[in-house]
């Protein structure tokens, strides 16, 4: 029997709330962080709405030495990691450096930093490009900077599988803990709302071109026509359960099961891989469909992908067989940051006995989904399934399970 | 010939390019303190060298730059190049960075 891997700390940076307390309260209220882009003038771009994080001032949280060498996504990730460690009650400098590792996901790297340096390259010449361009833009930079800042030299890495990467990183972190490392900082923050990032994201052809924030991102809805991207995500502290218990840590819940598949090539008559990923995750967790209390949907808002997801859910759970929610309707899709935020939200739902709502969308009745809309639903949540799909056919599913201890702490504000 | 490159100039360039460690007082007696002890690792020094090259229109030798371990040694190096009238194209440091930039998005 492998060691149980539990989550002991959360650090959240989301378009509708900075810090766990702000995020959770906004999410229960159905407050959306989606609006017209403010970080550059989106006039002239096909898509003009995004979920932007407001009020984040890196210099209030990070040493000045780090600012010239970090992209916005890395600054957010470093601060979210600080919050998660604080929430977990972990002081890295009191632990052995080889007993702590960092595994994050990334979907694009530090696009804004890269864009600024490439602009200098073509306008001023190569000698004007920052030496920090050698690492500040690349996929593994968040893992690297979190590792350096906290003196963590255990197994570390980065997983790149678009939005599915957010779950794949947590699974990789679980593997490293089972192989003997007591603590891994995991999850993901993505942030590339700059003109270059916007063009790159737009190339998928999946971005909503709607201009009304309440009608632009409508997964499972008859009017679904693409998604709104956002920035942010969550960093989680994963620990070996017995090590966490030994130090008296608060435990949010367990990473209980995981499954991942790749879709068959386009045009194949084989079935899409999402259902199989769900079944693998449930089997890995040792639970059946009836044990699952809520599903956090991938919610692509592309009609074909919505149909595939709802069919997979009906095949596994039966028609309207399980409550389904997509709080990401309030943040936009955060790429690799989306699923860790959903996992954090699932753990908060378990702790608080509340399923947060999906906003603005009304599921097509043919989909036969029990979509939680409008307001939070009170429920005894013990086991949650989180789904995430990446561009080009990645499917991942993760099961989290709570313990329902009587000693659950009140939600701490580890935010700004 | 351009004017002398002073400790004040160096501090300004360090701050602009790489920031300053909170535990280090750059206004203290730092002339003979190792850059590593001031919180500046190799990439920070590469960035600092690049900024000095642009500002003073000189081309520093990468090897010599890496050997300058303290502010006094770096000031001496820069002023040596300055008085020798080295100038012109960018140093090799920038080429390495250029290659990295070209690899983006892969």
């Amino acid at each position: 029997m492998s060691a149980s891997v539990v989550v002991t700390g959360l650090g959240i940076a989301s378009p509708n709330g900075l810090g766990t307390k702000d995020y959770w309260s906004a999410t229960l209220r159905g407050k959306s962080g989606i609006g017209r882009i403010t970080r550059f003038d989106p006039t002239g771009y096909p898509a003009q709405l995004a979920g932007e994080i407001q009020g984040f001032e890196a210099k209030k949280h990070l040493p000045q030495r780090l600012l010239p060498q970090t992209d916005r996504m890395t600054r957010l990730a470093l601060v979210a990691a600080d919050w998660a460690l604080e929430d977990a009650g972990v002081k890295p400098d009191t632990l052995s450096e080889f007993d702590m590792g960092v595994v994050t996901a990334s979907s694009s790297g530090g696009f804004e930093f890269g864009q600024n340096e490439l602009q200098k390259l073509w306008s001023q010449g190569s000698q004007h490009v920052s030496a920090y361009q050698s690492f500040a833009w690349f996929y593994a930079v968040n893992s690297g900077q979190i590792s350096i800042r906290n003196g963590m030299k255990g197994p570390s890495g980065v997983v790149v599988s678009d939005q599915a990467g957010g779950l794949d990183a947590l699974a990789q972190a679980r593997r490293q803990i089972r192989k003997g490392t007591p603590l891994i900082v995991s999850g993901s923050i993505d942030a590339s709302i700059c003109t270059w990032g916007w063009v790159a994201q737009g190339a998928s052809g999946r971005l909503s071109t709607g201009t009304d924030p309440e009608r632009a991102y409508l997964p499972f809805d008859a009017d679904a026509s693409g998604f709104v991207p956002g920035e942010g995500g969550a960093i989680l502290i994963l620990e070996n359960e017995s090590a966490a218990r030994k130090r008296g840590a608060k435990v949010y819940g367990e990473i209980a099961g995981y499954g991942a598949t790749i879709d068959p090539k386009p045009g194949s008559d084989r079935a899409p891989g999402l259902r199989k990923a769900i079944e693998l995750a449930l089997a890995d967790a040792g639970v059946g469909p009836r044990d699952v209390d809520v599903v956090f949907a991938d919610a692509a808002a592309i009609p074909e992908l919505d149909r595939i997801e709802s069919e997979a859910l009906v095949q596994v759970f039966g028609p309207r067989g399980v409550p389904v929610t997509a709080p990401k309707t309030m943040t936009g899709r955060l790429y690799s940051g989306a699923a860790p935020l959903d996992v954090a939200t699932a753990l908060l739902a378990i702790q608080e006995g509340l399923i947060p709502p999906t906003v603005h969308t009304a599921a097509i009745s043919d989909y036969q989904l029990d979509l939680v809309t409008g307001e939070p639903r009170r429920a005894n949540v013990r086991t949650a399934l989180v789904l995430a799909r990446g561009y080009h056919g990645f499917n991942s599913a993760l099961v989290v399970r709570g313990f329902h201890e009587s000693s659950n702490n009140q939600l701490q504000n580890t935010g700004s | 010939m351009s004017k002398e490159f002073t400790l004040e100039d160096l501090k300004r360039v360090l701050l602009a390019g790489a920031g300053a460690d909170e535990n280090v007082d750059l206004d203290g007696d730092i002339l003979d303190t190792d850059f590593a002890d001031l919180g500046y690792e190799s990439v920070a020094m590469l960035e600092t060298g690049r900024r000095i090259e642009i500002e003073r229109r000189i081309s520093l030798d990468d090897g010599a730059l890496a050997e300058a371990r303290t502010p006094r040694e770096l000031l001496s190096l820069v002023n040596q190049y300055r008085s020798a009238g080295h100038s012109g194209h960018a140093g090799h440091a920038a080429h390495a960075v250029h290659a990295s930039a070209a690899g983006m998005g892969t």
Side-chain angles (χ1 to χ4, degrees):
Chain A
M1 183 76 186
S2 302
S4 286
V5 174
V6 295
V7 179
T8 57
L10 306 177
I12 291 174
S14 166
N16 69 340
L18 197 51
T20 300
K21 192 178 175 186
D22 282 356
Y23 165 73
W24 181 242
S25 116
T27 300
L28 291 182
R29 280 183 284 130
K31 182 191 159 198
S32 172
I34 290 174
R36 184 176 161 88
I37 289 174
T38 62
R39 302 196 66 223
F40 61 90
D41 179 3
T43 308
Y45 292 84
Q48 302 183 351
L49 300 181
E52 292 176 308
I53 292 174
Q54 307 292 346
F56 176 73
E57 282 188 58
K59 63 178 188 293
K60 280 191 180 167
H61 304 283
L62 293 171
Q64 195 250 352
R65 182 74 183 75
L66 279 173
L67 300 181
Q69 55 177 292
T70 44
D71 183 82
R72 175 174 173 86
M73 72 158 192
T74 302
R75 296 171 181 177
L76 287 163
L78 285 168
V79 171
D82 286 352
W83 289 343
L85 288 164
E86 186 191 332
D87 185 33
V90 170
K91 292 190 166 55
D93 55 1
T94 64
L95 301 175
S96 161
E97 56 194 10
F98 292 103
D99 285 346
M100 303 177 286
V102 188
V103 179
T104 63
S106 177
S107 97
S108 60
F111 259 58
E112 188 172 32
F113 195 103
Q115 173 174 345
N116 289 338
E117 298 312 314
L118 289 178
Q119 279 174 341
K120 289 182 209 160
L121 176 67
W122 77 63
S123 64
Q124 294 171 273
S126 63
Q127 71 273 29
H128 289 264
V129 176
S130 166
Y132 294 116
Q133 172 69 358
S134 59
F135 62 73
W137 69 272
F138 74 5
Y139 299 113
V141 68
N142 289 356
S143 284
Q145 290 282 21
I146 292 169
S147 157
I148 293 166
R149 176 165 168 80
N150 297 290
M152 298 172 164
K153 296 186 178 174
S156 296
V158 62
V159 180
V160 180
S161 40
D162 193 39
Q163 187 134 323
L167 295 182
D168 300 337
L170 295 172
Q172 173 67 2
R174 185 175 71 146
R175 274 178 220 118
Q176 295 295 5
I177 290 172
R178 286 177 164 178
K179 282 159 73 177
T181 303
L183 182 151
I184 304 279
V185 177
S186 191
S188 179
I189 300 274
D190 252 326
S192 52
I193 302 176
C194 58
T195 49
W196 182 31
W198 203 241
V199 169
Q201 292 179 354
S204 70
R206 292 181 173 182
L207 268 49
S208 168
T209 55
T211 52
D212 176 356
E214 301 201 350
R215 299 300 301 161
Y217 176 33
L218 301 169
F220 307 113
D221 193 285
D223 290 336
S225 58
F227 66 84
V228 173
E231 60 180 357
I235 300 292
L236 284 66
I237 307 303
L238 270 55
E239 293 186 70
N240 173 299
E241 183 182 7
S242 55
R245 300 276 186 206
K246 198 176 290 177
R247 68 175 187 86
K250 159 192 70 188
V251 171
Y252 283 100
E254 176 193 7
I255 304 292
Y258 166 74
T261 62
I262 296 278
D263 281 332
K265 68 176 181 184
S268 162
D269 56 4
R270 287 178 292 133
L274 184 62
R275 176 187 179 176
K276 186 70 182 168
I278 295 170
E279 290 169 346
L280 289 169
L282 296 183
D284 184 34
V287 299
R290 274 184 297 181
D291 298 312
V292 175
D293 303 306
V294 62
V295 174
F296 285 74
D298 176 61
I302 305 293
E304 171 72 1
L305 292 171
D306 285 353
R307 186 185 57 74
I308 289 169
E309 183 164 33
S310 51
E311 279 178 7
L313 291 172
V314 169
Q315 283 160 357
V316 174
F317 296 98
R320 300 178 201 283
V322 65
V324 176
T325 189
K328 58 170 69 79
T329 45
M330 293 174 249
T331 64
R333 282 170 72 85
L334 308 182
Y335 295 89
S336 73
L341 182 58
D342 276 343
V343 170
T345 311
L347 291 165
L348 295 168
I350 287 168
Q351 179 172 285
E352 306 272 310
L354 284 170
I355 299 173
T358 308
V359 301
H360 303 142
T361 200
I364 294 172
S365 62
D366 285 358
Y367 286 162
Q368 303 186 80
L369 296 179
D370 174 13
L371 198 65
V372 178
T373 55
E375 55 187 36
R377 185 186 297 180
R378 192 156 285 286
N380 183 18
V381 184
R382 182 165 187 270
T383 303
L385 173 70
V386 178
L387 304 180
R389 287 176 291 183
Y391 195 57
H392 290 314
F394 298 100
N395 303 289
S396 293
L398 191 103
V399 175
V400 291
R401 186 160 49 207
F403 296 99
H404 278 315
E405 295 165 294
S406 52
S407 61
N408 271 351
N409 297 340
Q410 286 293 304
L411 203 52
Q412 308 267 322
N413 182 11
T414 53
S416 48
Chain B
M1 195 190 298
S2 59
K3 65 181 168 44
E4 190 184 352
F5 191 71
T6 67
L7 183 60
E8 289 310 310
D9 292 328
L10 176 58
K11 286 196 284 194
R12 177 175 44 74
V13 173
L14 283 168
L15 278 170
D21 192 292
E22 289 153 331
N23 302 317
V24 169
D25 177 16
L26 282 186
D27 291 327
D29 183 11
I30 61 164
L31 261 180
D32 294 306
T33 310
D34 258 39
F35 282 115
D37 294 330
L38 294 171
Y40 299 110
E41 78 306 319
S42 58
V43 185
M45 294 316 297
L46 201 60
E47 174 67 12
T48 300
R50 189 184 62 77
R51 283 172 179 263
I52 295 171
E53 285 179 330
I54 292 170
E55 181 178 311
R56 293 298 163 128
R57 299 175 186 279
I58 58 174
S59 181
L60 296 167
D61 177 75
D62 279 356
L65 183 64
E67 276 169 33
R69 307 291 298 270
T70 65
R72 189 190 300 278
E73 287 170 17
L74 183 56
L75 292 180
S76 152
L77 175 74
V78 173
N79 285 316
Q80 220 176 305
Y81 271 81
R82 184 182 59 88
S83 53
H86 287 259
S87 65
H89 68 280
H92 295 119
H95 290 291
V97 172
H98 188 164
S100 167
M104 290 192 65
T106 54

